[in-house]
Amino acid sequence: MDDMKLSGGVEWAIHCCVVLSRMDGAVPAGKLAGLHDVSSSYLAKQMQALSRGGLVRSLQGHAGGYVLTRPADQISILDVVQAVEGKQPLFVCTEIRQRGPLGTPPEKCLTHCPIAIAMMTAETAWRDSLNKITIGDLAHQVSSTSGPETFQTIQHWFAGA
Amino acid sequence: MDDMKLSGGVEWAIHCCVVLSRMDGAVPAGKLAGLHDVSSSYLAKQMQALSRGGLVRSLQGHAGGYVLTRPADQISILDVVQAVEGKQPLFVCTEIRQRGPLGTPPEKCLTHCPIAIAMMTAETAWRDSLNKITIGDLAHQVSSTSGPETFQTIQHWFAGA
DNA sequence: GGAGGGGTACTCGGATAAGAGCTGTCCGAGTATCAATGG
DNA sequence: CCATTGATACTCGGACAGCTCTTATCCGAGTACCCCTCC
C-alpha cells in the first residue's frame, strides 16, 4: 500500500543503460553493481531481463560484459520498463460485468467495458510519455547537470577496479 | 511479472461506485458483492478504503450501507484509484546516483535526477487522463451501451435479494 | 390508541491467516585470454 | 620466431530460499428498526 508499484529493479536498469550508452566496450554486471553499490546478484537478474528483451547483448569470456544493441537514441525508457516489468498492462479488465446474476451476456458485449477503455487510455498516455524519452536524452541531461566529465570518470573507474 | 500492477480491487471499487451513483438509498457491501459475484469479505475491505478516502459514507444499522458523498460528476477515476491503491507514486527514485564510490554528493544534487523527472512526467500524464473521466461519465456510457434499463434492473434486484 | 423501552437483526470496521510475487543469493555452462610448447 | 594447444579465469544464465505485499476471511462494535409493554 505504501511502496511503489513498479519493481525497484527498473531504476537500476535505466541507470545501467545510461551508463552503458557512454562506455566504450563491454561492462560486466559486477562492475555496474559496484558503481551503484547495489546487490551484484540481483542486478544480474535485471540485466538478464534486458538481454531477453533484446536491449543489450551479452559478451561472455574474459573481457565480456554487456553492450547496448542499438544506439542510445533508439532506446526509449518504455523499452527498458517493458523489458524488466513485462508488457502486461497496469490494469487488466476481468469482465466482471459478465459475472453475477445480472451479468451482461457475452453476445451483448459488443464494445469494451467503459472502465477498461478509460484505464487503457490513461495507460496509453503513460506509455506515450515514456516512449518520447530515450536513453540518449537522459545521458545528455546527466552530462549537463552532473558535469561533462562524469562518464569519463566512470570509465576510468571501470578500468581501475 | 505477468499480472497487473494495480490491485484487482480497483476494478471492483470503480464498478461499485458506478452502481452506487445510480441507486436511491444506501447499498450494503454484501449486495454489491452478490451482484458482481465476488468475495463479500474482500470487497468490504475495498469499500472501507473508499470510506477512509472520503468517497463514500457508511450508514450502519438495519437499512444501512454505502452512499456516495459527492455527486458522481465530481468523483474522478483517479480519486477511486488513489483511495484504494494509496497516493504513493508508481515509481520512487531512491537516489542511487548518490550511492557508490563515485556517487554525486548531496550538495551537488541541485536538480532532480533526470530519470525521476521522466518517470514523474509520465505518471502525471497518466493521472491527468484518469482525472478527466468521472464516475458520472462512466455511468452514462454504461447506460448507452448496456441499455437504459440496466440500473433500474439492478435496483429491483437489490430490493428483491 | 399512543409513547417509551428493550430486543433483535443487520451493518460496518479492524484484526487475523494463506498465497503469490518481488528481493536477494548461489552455483553451473560457456568462452576469450594467456601462457607454454612444439615446429 | 610463429602457430597450436591446453589450462585458466572471468563472464553470463538459470535454478534456489527469504520476505513483503496482495488476497481472502473472520468475528466484534455499533446502530436503526421492530415489537412488546405500559400508560
Side-chain angles (χ1 to χ4, degrees), chain A residues 20-43:
Chain A
L20 249 49
S21 73
R22 293 295 182 98
M23 296 295 121
D24 295 335
V27 181
K31 298 208 173 179
L32 287 169
L35 173 69
H36 297 107
D37 189 27
V38 296
S39 163
S40 176
S41 306
Y42 188 40
L43 187 139

Side-chain angles (χ1 to χ4, degrees), chain A residues 53-116:
Chain A
L55 289 176
V56 301
R57 179 132 197 91
S58 67
L59 280 309
Q60 262 182 344
H62 189 79
Y66 289 100
V67 191
L68 294 179
T69 55
R70 284 178 270 162
D73 288 332
Q74 295 176 25
I75 301 179
S76 71
I77 305 184
L78 180 62
D79 294 329
V80 180
V81 171
Q82 284 186 338
V84 174
E85 287 289 323
K87 297 196 174 183
Q88 203 70 205
L90 275 65
F91 179 90
V92 177
C93 179
T94 60
E95 287 291 338
I96 67 178
R97 62 177 173 171
Q98 294 184 20
R99 305 181 56 179
L102 270 58
T104 308
E107 62 265 21
K108 292 204 88 178
C109 292
L110 303 172
T111 177
H112 285 105
C113 179
I115 294 170

